[in-house]
Amino acid sequence: MLESVKISRRQSEIRSELSTLAGKADATADEIRSMETLDAEYRANETRYRAALIAEDGERREAGTELETRSDREFADLVAGFEMRQVVLALDEGRTLEGRTAEVVQELRSAGGYRGVPVPLMALETRAGETIASGTPDPIQTRPVIDRLFPGSVAAQMGAQLIQIGSGAVEWPVTTSAVTAGWANGELANVAGPTTYATTDKALKPEQTLGIHMRVSRKAMLQSGDALEQAIRRDMSGTMGAELDKAIFLGTGANGQPLGVVAGAGTYGITSTSAAGPATWAALRAAVVRFMAANAASGPEAVKALIRPEMWSYMDGTEAFTGSGVTEFDRAKAQLGGIVQTANALPTPGGTPPVALLTTSAGGVAPVFVGLWGAVDLIRDPFSDAQSGGLRLTALTTADVTVARPAQLQVVTGLEITDPS
């Protein structure tokens, strides 16, 4: 029991005793001395009570933080033991889910409806001891349970933030007003204003569904559990990660796709400027200057660039200063906060100069928000491959993309990667 609670109870007892003694008209000398003793104890306890509250305030704050994160950690521990093999066998043979896998599925079902077996996104990540070609996980921000992008994701490296949404739409009010300050022109003059404080809502809506279709042969299902577990996870995470990356940047906004950052630069209000010249650090530096002029970045180290491999090849083979051995890529890498290369999230040159995307996280706000609704809904098709004894699986997830502040992104076009001579 907290010390402050003990003191509070004792104070109640003292008040009760004092009220009894104070009601006596002919109190004895012993009773009067008792009242004096109780009164002194009561005053001393008031001081002790205030001291106990101050001392326990820190403990309450720590306990509150512990309670806020405990459920997320407990669920993360459950997901760490989630087995895709059990899900596949449950869909194929009707086998009962057991252990942590059963607990996770039950928890996800209680939060939303699924036609098949719900699979947490975190379960699709490659587990410890496995390797993937694209590298190891490097999330931009630590978030509870499954609120992060897949390992090696270009979107994660460029500062995009993944938002896990249970149901409905999510909006962010973004300030759009231009509040300015002004000096009073004279002793009795008014200062500038008032100026309307305006905001614009940026919404993520569950209108786009990404699907993965997978065939599992009878031979694969009869192999060892770990082999099937790893193969299914690699296939699903790799396919979903690549397609999400592509949609986040190149989504057309039509045919069921979300509107990507690069493809929808004009719609989002993102500044797009043509370099109309060779791909050099000077061409990228102009975009960095625009960031700084708009108060979106404090310096080049706060900016990240997304380029294609063809552009890296040209810049790395072009000397900035003749005979120096310093290439244009070296100059850009030394100045910027990071350079990410991709052949999936930017359009293929195809006879036109490639495009570069620059982003910055101003004030801790991510340049791009990616919303995912619920878990992956894994559905079984028991009929298509019945003759061969195989199994068909469909994994569905709903996602959307939005840009909170267009000033945090810059698109640079017209970056020539061929020698004009």
Side-chain angles (χ1 to χ4, degrees):
M1 183 183 298
L2 295 175
E3 186 66 22
S4 60
V5 176
K6 295 179 182 179
I7 297 174
S8 179
R9 290 184 177 181
R10 176 56 184 160
Q11 294 292 77
S12 297
E13 295 173 358
I14 294 175
R15 285 194 296 269
S16 178
E17 294 180 27
L18 284 174
S19 64
T20 302
L21 294 173
K24 291 185 176 183
D26 54 346
T28 65
D30 290 338
E31 289 174 337
I32 293 176
R33 282 194 298 271
S34 178
M35 282 190 287
E36 293 175 350
T37 302
L38 291 172
D39 180 64
E41 182 183 355
Y42 189 88
R43 290 197 301 269
N45 284 347
E46 284 296 301
T47 304
R48 292 179 56 217
Y49 181 72
R50 289 193 297 271
L53 288 178
I54 295 173
E56 291 164 5
D57 182 65
E59 298 177 9
R60 288 191 180 94
R61 293 177 184 274
E62 294 177 2
T65 304
E66 170 72 15
L67 291 174
E68 288 175 1
T69 59
R70 182 180 299 168
S71 60
D72 292 330
R73 292 203 311 272
E74 290 175 351
F75 189 67
D77 292 339
L78 287 177
V79 174
F82 189 92
E83 295 183 352
M84 284 293 298
R85 174 173 52 89
Q86 285 197 42
V87 175
V88 174
L89 293 177
L91 292 172
D92 183 55
E93 304 174 0
R95 183 174 297 186
T96 304
L97 298 176
E98 301 174 347
R100 295 183 180 181
T101 304
E103 292 185 48
V104 171
V105 171
Q106 183 178 1
E107 185 73 19
L108 291 174
R109 284 193 186 282
S110 66
Y114 298 92
R115 289 183 56 197
V117 178
V119 178
L121 295 176
M122 193 178 190
L124 301 184
E125 295 184 351
T126 305
R127 303 289 171 82
E130 302 171 22
T131 58
I132 54 177
S134 57
T136 56
D138 185 18
I140 187 67
Q141 180 181 0
T142 302
R143 297 180 61 85
V145 193
I146 57 178
D147 300 354
R148 51 180 169 163
L149 295 177
F150 294 104
S153 168
V154 171
Q157 296 179 63
M158 291 301 293
Q161 183 176 352
L162 183 68
I163 308 297
Q164 189 68 34
I165 305 171
S167 61
V170 175
E171 292 184 340
W172 285 269
V174 181
T175 302
T176 55
S177 60
V179 179
T180 57
W183 295 95
N185 185 19
E187 183 179 355
L188 300 178
N190 295 328
V191 297
T195 305
T196 302
Y197 187 83
T199 62
T200 299
D201 291 334
K202 301 292 184 175
L204 287 172
K205 299 181 179 179
E207 297 176 348
Q208 293 82 215
T209 298
L210 172 64
I212 301 172
H213 195 63
M214 182 183 303
R215 298 179 63 184
V216 184
S217 68
R218 180 173 178 80
K219 177 182 178 181
M221 288 186 290
L222 293 176
Q223 287 177 340
S224 61
D226 288 343
L228 181 61
E229 174 90 6
Q230 296 172 15
I232 291 177
R233 190 185 302 120
R234 280 197 302 269
D235 281 348
M236 294 184 71
S237 66
T239 304
M240 183 175 292
E243 190 58 34
L244 275 177
D245 263 348
K246 185 176 180 181
I248 290 169
F249 296 98
L250 299 179
T252 61
N255 302 321
Q257 301 180 27
L259 182 60
V261 173
V262 176
T267 303
Y268 288 122
I270 300 170
T271 300
S272 180
T273 307
S274 176
T280 62
W281 160 237
L284 299 179
R285 182 177 58 202
V288 176
V289 172
R290 288 192 291 272
F291 272 133
M292 298 171 66
N295 294 323
S298 57
E301 67 280 354
V303 179
K304 293 182 178 180
L306 181 65
I307 65 174
R308 285 192 60 90
E310 296 90 343
M311 184 173 165
W312 164 79
S313 178
Y314 175 82
M315 294 181 67
D316 195 53
T318 304
E319 277 193 329
F321 310 101
T322 304
S324 65
V326 178
T327 66
E328 290 290 346
F329 183 78
D330 292 334
R331 295 182 68 196
K333 186 177 180 180
Q335 295 286 342
L336 295 175
I339 299 179
V340 181
Q341 300 180 44
T342 179
N344 180 50
L346 288 178
T348 305
T352 60
V355 173
L357 174 69
L358 282 77
T359 68
T360 184
S361 296
V365 178
V368 182
F369 290 103
V370 181
L372 285 181
W373 278 259
V376 178
D377 195 358
L378 193 61
I379 304 171
R380 174 200 179 195
D381 178 2
F383 306 108
S384 299
D385 286 340
Q387 284 183 296
S388 64
L391 173 66
R392 290 202 183 199
L393 301 174
T394 300
L396 302 176
T397 188
T398 301
D400 194 17
V401 179
T402 192
V403 173
R405 289 195 292 224
Q408 294 179 231
L409 298 102
Q410 294 269 344
V411 176
V412 182
T413 62
L415 293 163
E416 301 285 351
I417 57 173
T418 56
D419 192 343
S421 60

